[in-house]
Amino acid sequence: MKAVVAIDSFKGSLSSVEAGMAAKEGILKACGDAEVVVKPLADGGEGTTEALVEGMNGRYVEIEVTGPMGATTAARYGIVGNGTTAVMEMAEASGIILVKREDLNPWKASTTGVGEMIIDAIERGCREFIIGIGGSATTEGGIGMLHALGYRFYDAAGEVLPPVFESLGKIERISSEHVREELKECHFQVACDVTNPLCGENGAIYVFGPQKGVRMEEKKFMDGAMGHYAVKTTEFTGKDNSHKEGAGAAGGLGFAFLSYLPNTELKSGISIVLEAIGLEDELKDADVVVTGEGRLDFQTAMGKVPVGVARLAKKYGCKVVAFAGSVTEEAGKCNEEGIDAFFPIVRGVTTLEEAMDPETAKKNMALSAEQVFRLL
């Protein structure tokens, strides 16, 4: 029997790899001669760097970058594969979690630190990038990142504009003379599950601005400034990406990637991760696939990580089993999406704190996997 284990993290308890290795332990107790392959899993958001670094024998890099509000902050990214692929989460440098709620300021927040991470990775030899862009504190269309990469934005007087939102409506000229030549060799896979365009009622300002500090009375003016930036970008690049799905992600960072970094793909996070870990190749001769996450519910059935795994597994006729810390009544919908059976791993009445203790969770996962594979 060949079993492929691809479990999402149990947030606050087990990483993807820890959960997978615990399941492997249980499987081997039941089926000592089974071939068990453990693959890291994430959806392109929080935890993606950790999952890929741990699961692909990568390494972490920690650097100091410019944080969302201008102060220096520590940021971590990963280098995996043959040492030329960088895995990043923009939230490490420009995330909303780095700013106190009372300090949120959409006029000043910047993605400069994201560009600094990219430059650091380039200098270390990376040319392939996997970047998750969820959880941003910014609404400046990505000009902070672009400034760090060498682009310059000028006002009518020919002065270089600071890389913040309040500059967007003042842009008259754009220059690429300081852009690193190595960027032409780089390929960016941007994990983006947001489909919003850059501007308008469904755009970055109207939909996501309020959670980053945009006031109701500011929306119209700020959206207009974003539109001006889009027009000037089109004049500079010769293409208009403002209406493309994902352009409005991360306050317009998706638009910056599409417009200024031509070797960019905006893709769903799960599809990028599944491709990066080579899951499909392992499924071609697998008998059983094990997946799961901390909580299985109706949202899981709507396309979260375990369902993404299940759909791919069904392509090759695999049985699919899922484990979770807890399940809801609506989790039954998962059976309609390719998960043949799912099981909660908690083994008795317990407090949430006890259930989420890493050692307890590992033991529960191993015991649950063992019993299911005894039946199989």
Side-chain angles (χ1 to χ4, degrees):
M1 174 189 290
K2 178 179 179 180
V4 176
V5 182
I7 303 176
D8 200 2
S9 64
F10 283 32
K11 288 183 174 59
S13 182
L14 299 177
S15 71
S16 171
V17 173
E18 287 172 335
M21 294 304 293
K24 178 179 180 177
E25 178 186 333
I27 294 169
L28 291 176
K29 280 187 178 179
C31 310
D33 60 349
E35 177 189 356
V36 184
V37 176
V38 177
K39 290 289 188 178
L41 210 56
D43 62 3
E46 181 186 358
T48 297
T49 298
E50 180 182 15
L52 293 182
V53 169
E54 287 187 16
M56 299 174 71
N57 297 316
R59 61 187 175 92
Y60 290 110
V61 174
E62 295 191 11
I63 61 172
E64 295 288 316
V65 299
T66 304
M69 304 311 300
T72 300
T73 189
R76 185 176 74 162
Y77 69 90
I79 297 178
V80 301
N82 59 3
T84 62
T85 299
V87 184
M88 301 176 172
E89 296 167 25
M90 74 87 64
E92 279 283 312
S94 305
I96 197 166
I97 60 171
L98 301 177
V99 186
K100 293 180 181 178
R101 185 164 185 81
E102 60 270 23
D103 294 333
L104 288 171
N105 185 339
W107 297 85
K108 299 293 185 183
S110 175
T111 55
T112 299
V114 178
E116 292 170 349
M117 282 201 297
I118 292 171
I119 290 296
D120 186 82
I122 287 174
E123 291 177 347
R124 295 174 192 268
C126 294
R127 296 296 182 268
E128 293 286 331
F129 290 81
I130 296 172
I131 304 181
I133 60 172
S136 74
T138 57
T139 56
E140 35 74 290
I143 67 166
M145 176 190 76
L146 296 174
H147 185 90
L149 296 179
Y151 288 94
R152 296 293 180 265
F153 299 84
Y154 297 89
D155 63 16
E159 298 294 325
V160 176
L161 290 163
V164 294
F165 179 87
E166 62 183 5
S167 296
L168 294 187
K170 304 172 184 177
I171 296 172
E172 290 300 325
R173 185 172 69 87
I174 303 170
S175 166
S176 60
E177 60 186 302
H178 300 291
V179 173
R180 299 284 292 262
E181 281 296 314
E182 298 96 325
L183 272 178
K184 296 176 182 177
E185 306 167 5
C186 296
H187 173 236
F188 296 88
Q189 292 188 81
V190 178
C192 175
D193 292 298
V194 168
T195 59
N196 302 68
L198 182 65
C199 302
E201 292 185 359
N202 294 317
I205 299 297
Y206 276 90
V207 176
F208 304 110
Q211 68 196 44
K212 303 172 188 182
V214 175
R215 296 193 298 269
M216 182 67 69
E217 63 272 19
E218 294 176 321
K219 286 183 177 181
K220 185 176 180 180
F221 178 84
M222 294 182 77
D223 187 64
M226 189 73 85
H228 176 80
Y229 165 56
V231 168
K232 291 300 178 181
T233 295
T234 299
E235 291 176 2
F236 176 69
T237 64
K239 54 187 178 181
D240 181 7
N241 290 305
S242 63
H243 301 290
K244 287 193 174 179
E245 290 190 356
L253 186 61
F255 174 77
F257 271 107
L258 287 170
S259 300
Y260 292 86
L261 301 173
N263 298 319
T264 291
E265 297 177 88
L266 260 58
K267 301 165 65 175
S268 73
I270 181 60
S271 67
I272 289 176
V273 173
L274 293 183
E275 182 179 325
I277 65 176
L279 181 63
E280 186 164 1
D281 288 339
E282 293 291 351
L283 297 180
K284 291 176 181 177
D285 61 347
D287 300 295
V288 183
V289 174
V290 177
T291 188
E293 62 181 352
R295 176 186 173 93
L296 283 178
D297 54 22
F298 74 95
Q299 289 185 329
T300 307
M302 293 172 66
K304 290 178 70 178
V305 170
V307 163
V309 172
R311 289 172 179 166
L312 193 57
K314 287 304 176 185
K315 181 177 174 181
Y316 298 99
C318 305
K319 282 290 182 185
V320 181
V321 176
F323 295 106
S326 66
V327 299
T328 67
E329 281 189 40
E330 298 87 355
K333 291 284 185 184
C334 296
N335 297 132
E336 301 171 14
E337 301 297 333
I339 294 176
D340 293 296
F342 56 82
F343 304 88
I345 66 171
V346 176
R347 301 177 66 81
V349 177
T350 182
T351 66
L352 180 62
E353 183 179 10
E354 290 169 341
M356 291 182 67
D357 175 77
E359 292 307 312
T360 300
K362 287 177 188 176
K363 181 175 71 174
N364 287 344
M365 176 68 79
L367 290 171
S368 297
E370 179 186 353
Q371 293 306 311
V372 168
F373 274 78
R374 284 185 182 278
L375 178 61
L376 290 173

